[in-house]
């Protein structure tokens, strides 16, 4: 790792011993030694940045791609839609799939190039006729309602049913040439079941819940077929060029936690475990919109990455998931309708809150129709210009200093102390502060105040917890 030139700022705090209680405290003058601020080395170009980040390697910046980045908002995609108005025609033709998938790559150079397809693509191969109609969305022609209906559902054979997916992924892998990760995706069992039982999109999910709560064995039978089929589909995508696969369980968050544990979690876990047996190095990403109430349960699936939507604060989500799992997201797609300055600030805020490593910058949902292309371009420009610096270590010792980047002692000291919000608590490596650098300088937030004032404030807050005789000038 290369180290930046550093300046020092001594920060003395009077805090209780970590082994003492507030009622039985011990005088102890502590100084935090936060080590050097380092910039991680860039990783080898032969391996995509996204994969390195997911695996916990030191990367110079978070990789970035956007859900639904292929299509919708791009003028080049709209031109293709005029010529080929059927979504299924566009998504089931190898040449069109490759062209549309590469449109954002050619313009924005994201770190992930996702296959242009749909989570419902496997349904025809499972004997579930469907279509995707403009203005109406998915339509299931024969919704499933009984055990007899489930018996008619075939397990999916991707080689036979969707050979165009494998061919498109192979071409994409060759075209992108490891300059970015090629991403595949599948629908999760409960979300797929929701579509085929409801007959399409739904607002209330009454049909799938009626089936779940009145005929659970029927639903479990259907979910098992989807779990087996999606396991095959993920392996197929990986064998044909996908370097990571995202599982979309968009509608699982319509379930209560106890019902999620019965109708979604076991099947997600089954898929992940089975794929890891044959493809142990394939990163699996899990996304569920509105997942704030289920985050800890999503982590139980053993996926490599949990993708957060924008309704969850990134720092809070990171704490709840733990730092052993990577996170993706989670900028509100609506931010891309804002000013460039606003977009920049939100990107920096997200990266800073995501903390050290294992973060893929993304939206908290797909790009909205009508999003200005110039704003998407700005998003990528800012994201790819970021360089992340982080504090190497933190230890309590009898002497030491806070070492910071040149000219930014006050800002970085602020973030360091904020991360040590409870001065008597030993801070783990995963909680160390992270600083974002762009071509302007270190980003910060509105709480910035001179370090001397900051230390005075911290000492005042600590003094509230301690008896008066413990407070002294430090």
């Amino acid at each position: 790792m290369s180290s930046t030139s550093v300046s020092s700022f001594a920060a003395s705090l009077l805090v209780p011993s970590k082994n003492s209680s507030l009622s039985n405290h011990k005088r102890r003058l502590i100084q935090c030694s936060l080590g050097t601020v380092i910039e991680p080395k860039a990783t080898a170009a032969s391996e995509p940045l996204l994969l390195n980040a997911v695996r916990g390697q030191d990367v110079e910046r978070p990789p970035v791609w956007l859900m639904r980045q292929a299509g919708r908002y791009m003028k080049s995609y709209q031109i293709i839609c005029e010529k080929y108005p059927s979504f299924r025609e566009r998504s089931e033709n190898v040449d069109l799939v490759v062209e549309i998938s590469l449109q954002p790559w050619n313009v924005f150079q994201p770190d992930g190039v996702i296959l242009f397809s749909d989570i419902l693509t496997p349904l025809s191969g499972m004997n579930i006729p469907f279509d995707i109609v403009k203005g109406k969305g998915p339509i299931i022609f024969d919704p499933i309602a009984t055990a007899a209906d489930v018996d008619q559902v075939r397990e999916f054979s991707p080689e036979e049913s969707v050979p165009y997916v494998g061919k498109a992924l192979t071409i994409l892998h060759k075209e992108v040439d490891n300059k970015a990760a090629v991403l595949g995706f599948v629908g999760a069992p409960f979300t797929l079941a929701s579509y085929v039982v409801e007959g399409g999109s739904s607002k209330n999910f009454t049909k799938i819940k009626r089936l779940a709560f009145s005929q659970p064995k029927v639903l479990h039978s259907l979910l098992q077929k989807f779990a087996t089929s999606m396991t095959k589909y993920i392996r197929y995508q990986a064998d044909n060029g996908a370097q990571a696969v995202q599982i979309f369980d968009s509608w699982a968050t319509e379930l209560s936690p106890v019902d999620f544990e019965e109708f979604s979690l076991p099947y997600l876990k089954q898929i992940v475990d089975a794929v890891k047996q044959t493809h142990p190095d394939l990163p699996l990403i899990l996304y569920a919109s509105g997942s704030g109430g289920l985050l800890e349960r999503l982590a139980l699936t053993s996926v490599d990455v949990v993708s957060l939507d924008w309704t969850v604060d990134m720092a809070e989500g990171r704490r709840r998931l733990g730092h052993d799992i990577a996170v993706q997201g989670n900028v509100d797609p609506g931010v891309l309708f804002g000013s460039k300055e606003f977009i920049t600030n939100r990107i920096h805020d997200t990266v800073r809150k995501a903390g050290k490593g294992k973060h893929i910058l993304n939206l908290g949902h797909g790009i909205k129709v009508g999003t200005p292309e110039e704003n998407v371009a700005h998003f990528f420009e800012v994201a790819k210009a970021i360089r992340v610096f982080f504090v190497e270590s933190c230890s309590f010792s009898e002497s030491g200093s806070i070492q910071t980047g040149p000219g930014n002692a006050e800002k970085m000291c602020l973030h360091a102390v904020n991360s040590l919000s409870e001065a008597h608590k030993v801070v783990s490596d995963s909680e160390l502060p992270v600083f974002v650098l762009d071509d302007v300088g270190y980003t910060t937030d509105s709480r910035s105040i001179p370090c001397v004032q900051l230390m005075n404030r911290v000492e005042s807050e600590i003094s509230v917890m301690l008896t008066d005789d413990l407070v002294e000038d430090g």
Side-chain angles (χ1 to χ4, degrees):
M1 293 183 180
S2 60
S3 177
T4 65
S5 59
V6 296
S7 59
S8 297
F9 184 92
S12 301
L13 292 179
L14 186 62
V15 299
S17 165
K18 65 176 181 178
N19 297 319
S20 67
S21 66
L22 293 182
S23 60
N24 183 24
H25 36 260
K26 175 183 177 183
R27 291 193 183 198
R28 192 177 180 208
L29 185 63
I30 301 298
Q31 287 189 316
C32 297
S33 178
L34 296 186
T36 57
V37 179
I38 61 177
E39 180 180 11
K41 289 180 179 178
T43 49
S46 60
E47 194 76 0
L49 182 69
L50 187 147
L51 301 186
N52 289 328
V54 171
R55 292 165 183 162
Q57 298 179 22
D58 291 330
V59 292
E60 63 181 3
R61 64 173 175 83
V64 56
W65 69 280
L66 304 181
M67 288 185 280
R68 287 181 183 161
Q69 68 186 13
R72 291 191 171 210
Y73 66 101
M74 296 190 75
K75 180 62 178 177
S76 54
Y77 175 71
Q78 294 167 9
I79 292 173
I80 290 179
C81 291
E82 292 174 0
K83 188 174 181 180
Y84 304 96
S86 168
F87 179 87
R88 289 195 60 181
E89 181 179 11
R90 297 192 297 273
S91 63
E92 297 177 10
N93 177 296
V94 173
D95 292 338
L96 291 177
V97 169
V98 171
E99 181 180 356
I100 295 169
S101 299
L102 290 176
Q103 283 178 342
W105 165 250
N106 292 330
V107 178
F108 308 120
Q109 297 284 294
D111 296 302
V113 175
I114 191 164
L115 174 76
F116 177 76
S117 186
D118 193 85
I119 64 171
L120 302 185
T121 293
L123 294 187
S124 292
M126 299 183 72
N127 196 32
I128 305 174
F130 82 101
D131 201 359
I132 299 177
V133 180
K134 184 177 180 179
K136 294 183 178 180
I139 295 178
I140 309 300
F141 295 119
D142 299 304
I144 290 174
T146 67
D149 294 335
V150 175
D151 290 340
Q152 298 301 311
V153 176
R154 295 195 301 260
E155 289 187 358
F156 185 51
S157 174
E159 296 88 350
E160 297 176 6
S161 300
V162 292
Y164 50 87
V165 169
K167 292 176 183 178
L169 284 168
T170 300
I171 296 171
L172 288 174
H173 194 196
K174 182 179 180 180
E175 289 289 328
V176 176
D177 192 27
N178 271 349
K179 297 180 181 67
V182 174
L183 305 172
F185 67 93
V186 302
F190 181 80
T191 291
L192 293 174
S194 295
Y195 277 109
V196 302
V197 172
E198 294 287 340
S201 300
S202 177
K203 291 184 178 180
N204 301 312
F205 296 88
T206 53
K207 294 180 181 178
I208 186 73
K209 289 187 178 182
R210 180 184 296 116
L211 187 64
F213 303 149
S214 65
Q215 303 182 71
K217 289 184 179 180
V218 174
L219 180 55
H220 279 299
S221 178
L222 178 61
L223 292 169
Q224 185 57 59
K225 287 191 174 183
F226 278 129
T228 302
S229 297
M230 293 308 103
T231 298
K232 292 180 180 179
Y233 197 25
I234 291 174
R235 290 169 172 165
Y236 173 75
Q237 292 185 27
D239 290 341
N240 284 276
Q243 294 165 289
V245 176
Q246 179 155 310
I247 303 170
F248 285 89
D249 205 356
S250 304
W251 305 132
T253 52
E254 293 293 327
L255 293 169
S256 68
V258 66
D259 294 320
F260 175 81
E261 291 175 356
E262 179 176 356
F263 297 107
S264 181
L265 179 57
Y267 299 100
L268 290 170
K269 178 68 173 170
Q270 181 185 140
I271 291 171
V272 173
D273 290 346
V275 170
K276 290 298 183 180
Q277 288 179 4
T278 57
H279 297 74
D281 297 324
L282 178 72
L284 296 176
I285 307 168
L286 176 60
Y287 173 78
S289 57
S291 59
L294 298 173
L295 284 189
E296 292 82 359
R297 290 171 175 83
L298 297 185
L300 295 177
T301 62
S302 299
V303 292
D304 303 280
V305 186
V306 170
S307 188
L308 303 177
D309 76 353
W310 73 93
T311 63
V312 179
D313 180 79
M314 175 58 80
E316 178 186 345
R318 180 73 115 172
R319 286 193 299 271
R320 290 172 59 189
L321 289 167
H323 282 258
D324 291 334
I325 193 168
V327 292
Q328 178 174 272
N330 65 334
V331 179
D332 184 342
V335 166
L336 293 181
F337 290 95
S339 67
K340 289 183 171 57
E341 180 182 7
F342 186 74
I343 294 170
T344 299
N345 290 339
R346 283 299 178 90
I347 292 172
H348 288 166
D349 181 65
T350 299
V351 172
R352 185 171 61 248
K353 287 180 175 178
K356 176 185 174 182
K358 288 195 171 186
H359 174 221
I360 302 170
L361 182 62
N362 205 317
L363 301 179
H365 201 279
I367 297 179
K368 301 294 185 182
V369 176
T371 300
E373 280 191 62
E374 64 183 78
N375 286 2
V376 177
H378 180 74
F379 187 98
F380 280 110
E381 289 169 4
V382 172
K384 297 180 75 173
I386 284 175
R387 293 298 178 269
V388 173
F389 290 71
F390 56 90
V391 176
E392 187 176 26
S393 64
C394 181
S395 62
F396 291 105
S397 61
E398 294 305 317
S399 63
S401 63
I402 293 178
Q403 295 177 298
T404 67
N408 290 277
E410 295 174 358
K411 294 178 183 179
M412 296 183 72
C413 180
L414 169 67
H415 286 292
V417 175
N418 281 342
S419 75
L420 302 171
S421 57
E422 293 180 320
H424 62 282
K425 177 182 176 183
V426 176
V427 179
S428 67
D429 178 68
S430 64
E431 293 173 313
L432 290 171
V434 171
F435 314 105
V436 182
L437 181 69
D438 58 14
D439 56 0
V440 176
Y442 288 101
T443 64
T444 184
D445 55 39
S446 59
R447 296 174 297 169
S448 292
I449 55 176
C451 227
V452 173
Q453 295 179 34
L454 175 66
M455 299 313 299
N456 288 339
R457 186 188 73 184
V458 171
E459 289 184 2
S460 296
E461 292 175 353
I462 292 172
S463 69
V464 173
M465 298 186 295
L466 308 177
T467 58
D468 292 338
D469 66 339
L470 188 61
V471 180
E472 63 184 43
D473 293 334

